Amino acid sequence: MDMKRAWWKEAVIYQIYPRSFMDSNGDGIGDLQGIISRLDYLKYLGIDVIWLSPVYQSPNDDNGYDISDYQDIMDEFGTMADFDELLAAAHERGIKIVMDLVVNHTSDEHRWFVESRKAKDNAYRDYYIWREGKDGQTPPNNWGSCFGGPAWQYDGETGMYYLHLFSKKQPDLNWDNPKVREEVFDMMTWWCDKGIDGFRMDVISMISKTEEMPDGEAHGMYGSFDPYCVHGPNVHKYLREMNEKVLSKYDIMTVGETAGVTTEQAKQYAGEDAHELHMVFQFEHVEGDGKYGKWTDEKIPLIRLKKILSRWQTELYGKAWNSLFWDNHDQPRAVSRFGDDRPQYREMSAKMLATCLHMMQGTPYIYQGEELGMTNYPFQSPEEFRDIESINAYREWCEEGPVPHETFWSCITFKSRDNARTPVQWDDSPQAGFTTGEPWIAINPNYTQINAKAETADPGSVFHYYKKLIALRKAYPVIVYGRYELLMEDDEDLYVYTREMDEEKLLVVCSFCDHETGFTIPDEFAKASCLISNTDGNYDRAEITLKPYEAFVLRTI
Ligand code: TEU
Ligand code: CA
């Protein structure tokens, strides 16, 4: 099948969560100068693009996802001059920078909202979504917010409620107002003219809401807003308008965060000829497995995982482009969630997961620390949480809710977003080399074993394995463009697939279990060469025994 080539299809992206990446001035908070100081590390790893989680001015109710000024840098992170320096320093090294675009909502401290709440006839009133309460005392409907509590906040100034799908300090913008779209597009143009290389668009699937806002189907205390706010009536119209007015004018890449998206919808957002976005993040493999809302302590069964990822691989093939990820700043650490973070299996399983993901079709995303095999944090008490979602969830489900502490604790510690937000472990010095001060969030005590200094010095490390995978993607176009086929779909332990392009074929074998397994190498790979393996396996024989979490890739010539 004809597959259009593009730089963003061939790129490997590295996500930086600036608060936890590298602190340059000892205040315990990562910052832009800290990032600059580590660019050579990223260059050595071999990534092409940095996705920078939000660095804009923000009161940090949700760590920068609540923006009070889109054209200014958060004081704690530095200045616009620091940003310009970062962009230039990255470009000098051939690294592109993709900005996080958070425009479903602003901070309640954004100038637009400060105005909007003042009076019903304020010029900015319709920048947000205001409704009368039911009888003055109750919210307009039963919707719950993503971070707990109702999705409506009463505002005494004008006696009305405003909509916030996330925290009450994140009021939703009214995209039906053409002035809002114009402001957002102008702001995007300003960043593009600065020379940035793309946007990751936060919850972009939620920008269009239905006119009618009826109660949603109740789950516990609140109703779901999904049918009225997710993939809403005008979302594609607004994205095409954005594409026409801004995106199409620059050689930039775009990726939309679209929780709950199906493959059919993904083709609408990111189809080859959709004129909207280049790709979307789908969440099927990281969502929908919860016992209490999103909270669970169970791993997804391998057969289910294979089914989901394979469906995305085959249904988008030639039609739209996948983004590939195991984790990000909202998810637990990949090795703890999908692999095995017990000391004897951590490295093997981290490399296995990397193999499994990086050999698929799509653009791979590496979340900071993943390339070191960083693990979930051993939380001891709820006081250690910094994340608004975890703090609120513990209160709602446990303190004020029905679930006993012991039951909920194993779930929230398994899935808390704070697992991903503990600082990057740079070396084995105090505070893991992240800061000389007191870090804003605890550092994982395993930093003495797991850190960048040790791993860059060790050719057998998880870091060097990632470096090799990235290099392979550059060397073999079949990894980027080849057709995917799942083998052994009913096997509970092994994830096996092939990639094929022209005369070339790859066999990818990944063991997801902590015991040995037998495997027969298919005939057509009898004389194949081994591109990469996480062990010293011999793949010249047909019948082999795989070690726990073994992974390898064979290539026919
Ligand atoms: O996350 C959007 C989103 O869908 C969340 O519900 C996400 O799934 C949740 O954090 C997991 O429990 C984006 C950002 O990535 C996140 O950090 C922000 O908090 C959120 O939007 C609001 O801007
Ligand atoms: Ca700092």
Side-chain angles (χ1 to χ4, degrees):
M1 178 172 301
D2 180 42
M3 185 76 69
K4 281 185 228 149
R5 300 208 163 192
W7 66 261
W8 44 266
K9 292 181 178 173
E10 296 172 13
V12 176
I13 302 187
Y14 186 94
Q15 184 191 351
I16 290 185
Y17 194 69
R19 207 172 188 77
S20 306
F21 189 68
M22 179 66 205
D23 175 24
S24 72
N25 63 350
D27 66 354
I29 296 171
D31 46 51
L32 298 183
Q33 284 299 333
I35 298 173
I36 293 171
S37 74
R38 298 293 176 173
L39 284 175
D40 286 330
Y41 166 85
L42 298 178
K43 178 76 189 157
Y44 182 56
L45 178 59
I47 56 100
D48 307 282
V49 179
I50 292 170
W51 150 24
L52 206 51
S53 273
V55 294
Y56 317 94
Q57 199 64 262
S58 163
N60 283 305
D61 189 52
D62 185 19
N63 288 354
Y65 284 89
D66 48 321
I67 297 169
S68 53
D69 188 341
Y70 290 102
Q71 280 156 256
D72 195 6
I73 298 295
M74 191 190 302
D75 295 334
E76 292 166 328
F77 290 175
T79 62
M80 194 56 82
D82 292 321
F83 180 85
D84 293 339
E85 190 184 329
L86 169 62
L87 188 62
H91 284 172
E92 251 166 55
R93 290 164 176 81
I95 296 175
K96 296 179 191 287
I97 295 198
V98 161
M99 302 296 282
D100 215 315
L101 184 77
V102 189
V103 288
N104 173 70
H105 44 268
T106 68
S107 162
D108 65 337
E109 298 179 35
H110 192 289
R111 180 173 62 82
W112 302 337
F113 191 76
V114 172
E115 286 298 317
S116 184
R117 77 178 353 159
K118 280 184 183 162
K120 291 184 183 174
D121 60 359
N122 187 282
Y124 290 88
R125 186 66 169 182
D126 288 335
Y127 273 46
Y128 295 87
I129 301 168
W130 293 95
R131 291 285 188 280
E132 300 284 353
K134 265 188 185 148
D135 43 30
Q137 297 303 311
T138 31
N141 65 33
N142 71 351
W143 296 354
S145 106
C146 290
F147 293 155
W152 296 95
Q153 176 67 26
Y154 181 75
D155 202 53
E157 208 64 49
T158 53
M160 285 175 77
Y161 288 81
Y162 65 85
L163 180 70
H164 61 90
L165 299 183
F166 293 89
S167 106
K168 61 175 187 254
K169 284 184 67 64
Q170 293 167 301
D172 280 56
L173 282 165
N174 174 18
W175 274 71
D176 294 331
N177 181 348
K179 280 196 222 141
V180 166
R181 302 203 296 278
E182 203 181 297
E183 297 255 24
V184 170
F185 299 159
D186 285 351
M187 175 271 285
M188 292 172 72
T189 300
W190 185 85
W191 280 101
C192 288
D193 288 342
K194 221 179 214 316
I196 60 127
D197 305 287
F199 295 107
R200 173 268 186 187
M201 302 186 187
D202 194 67
V203 288
I204 201 69
S205 51
M206 301 191 191
I207 57 173
S208 166
K209 280 82 174 171
T210 55
E211 185 75 35
E212 296 296 306
M213 295 188 160
D215 282 347
E217 196 190 319
H219 305 285
M221 283 166 74
Y222 300 101
S224 164
F225 60 69
D226 283 27
Y228 315 103
C229 302
V230 185
H231 316 301
N234 293 314
V235 65
H236 297 292
K237 188 174 146 208
Y238 297 154
L239 285 176
R240 279 194 294 268
E241 187 183 336
M242 178 195 284
N243 188 296
E244 186 202 317
K245 294 195 169 150
V246 188
L247 308 177
S248 60
K249 301 191 171 149
Y250 303 88
D251 180 22
I252 57 172
M253 64 153 274
T254 54
V255 50
E257 191 204 25
T258 52
V261 72
T262 63
T263 49
E264 283 314 305
Q265 288 162 333
K267 285 180 236 171
Q268 288 183 272
Y269 283 109
E272 289 275 346
D273 302 306
H275 303 292
E276 292 187 24
L277 304 174
H278 288 142
M279 57 187 130
V280 294
F281 289 119
Q282 65 83 18
F283 289 86
E284 274 192 72
H285 63 306
V286 292
E287 265 176 9
D289 54 353
K291 289 187 198 165
Y292 312 105
K294 68 172 265 189
W295 308 102
T296 183
D297 52 6
E298 279 167 16
K299 284 188 174 165
I300 182 172
L302 181 61
I303 293 183
R304 190 175 133 73
L305 180 69
K306 292 197 282 191
K307 217 184 202 123
I308 292 171
L309 294 178
S310 300
R311 182 157 37 75
W312 280 89
Q313 288 289 300
T314 49
E315 290 190 16
L316 262 48
Y317 181 70
K319 303 197 176 87
W321 194 251
N322 271 298
S323 53
L324 308 170
F325 71 100
W326 287 129
D327 57 5
N328 60 36
H329 66 294
D330 293 333
Q331 303 292 336
R333 289 281 175 184
V335 70
S336 302
R337 182 184 197 172
F338 296 102
D340 193 330
D341 63 11
R342 287 176 291 174
Q344 69 272 39
Y345 298 127
R346 185 189 63 86
E347 284 193 38
M348 280 288 278
S349 67
K351 292 172 185 172
M352 179 280 290
L353 288 172
T355 315
C356 187
L357 196 80
H358 282 246
M359 288 296 138
M360 288 186 194
Q361 183 170 76
T363 299
Y365 289 74
I366 301 169
Y367 178 68
Q368 64 182 37
E370 181 192 326
E371 79 283 11
L372 304 172
M374 277 179 62
T375 66
N376 273 359
Y377 178 81
F379 293 99
Q380 299 299 320
S381 100
E383 276 81 65
E384 289 177 291
F385 291 137
R386 295 288 173 275
D387 169 29
I388 180 170
E389 183 191 48
S390 302
I391 292 169
N392 290 353
Y394 184 78
R395 194 182 55 233
E396 257 183 30
W397 289 94
C398 255
E399 287 175 349
E400 295 167 4
V403 190
H405 171 83
E406 304 74 63
T407 315
F408 197 64
W409 190 244
S410 67
C411 298
I412 197 165
T413 54
F414 185 61
K415 287 204 69 186
S416 171
R417 307 198 294 182
D418 278 338
N419 283 304
R421 299 176 181 188
T422 66
V424 172
Q425 296 160 205
W426 293 106
D427 58 38
D428 61 359
S429 69
Q431 313 296 13
F434 164 71
T435 181
T436 53
E438 198 51 44
W440 72 276
I441 187 172
I443 287 172
N444 196 313
N446 64 20
Y447 74 91
T448 50
Q449 311 302 317
I450 305 170
N451 63 67
K453 187 174 174 213
E455 295 201 26
T456 46
D458 170 9
S461 65
V462 178
F463 175 90
H464 278 279
Y465 196 88
Y466 267 85
K467 186 170 158 62
K468 186 162 181 192
L469 284 172
I470 296 168
L472 285 174
R473 180 166 277 263
K474 310 262 173 267
Y476 298 100
V478 62
I479 298 175
V480 180
Y481 296 108
R483 199 172 63 85
Y484 169 102
E485 190 185 348
L486 179 69
L487 308 182
M488 302 169 68
E489 58 181 313
D490 297 322
D491 193 288
E492 291 173 1
D493 296 325
L494 301 181
Y495 194 149
V496 182
Y497 63 88
T498 57
R499 300 291 307 283
E500 193 172 6
M501 196 170 76
D502 304 327
E503 300 304 295
E504 195 178 1
K505 197 164 180 181
L506 304 182
L507 175 72
V508 182
V509 180
C510 298
S511 167
F512 272 72
C513 65
D514 64 0
H515 50 84
E516 293 188 338
T517 30
F519 177 72
T520 309
I521 295 179
D523 281 348
E524 55 181 324
F525 292 94
K527 297 224 156 40
S529 59
C530 178
L531 285 189
I532 192 167
S533 164
N534 64 356
T535 181
D536 51 5
N538 174 354
Y539 308 110
D540 295 339
R541 291 159 292 146
E543 301 300 326
I544 59 172
T545 303
L546 298 179
K547 290 184 183 150
Y549 301 109
E550 181 163 346
F552 63 90
V553 182
L554 300 184
R555 172 176 178 258
T556 60
I557 312 133

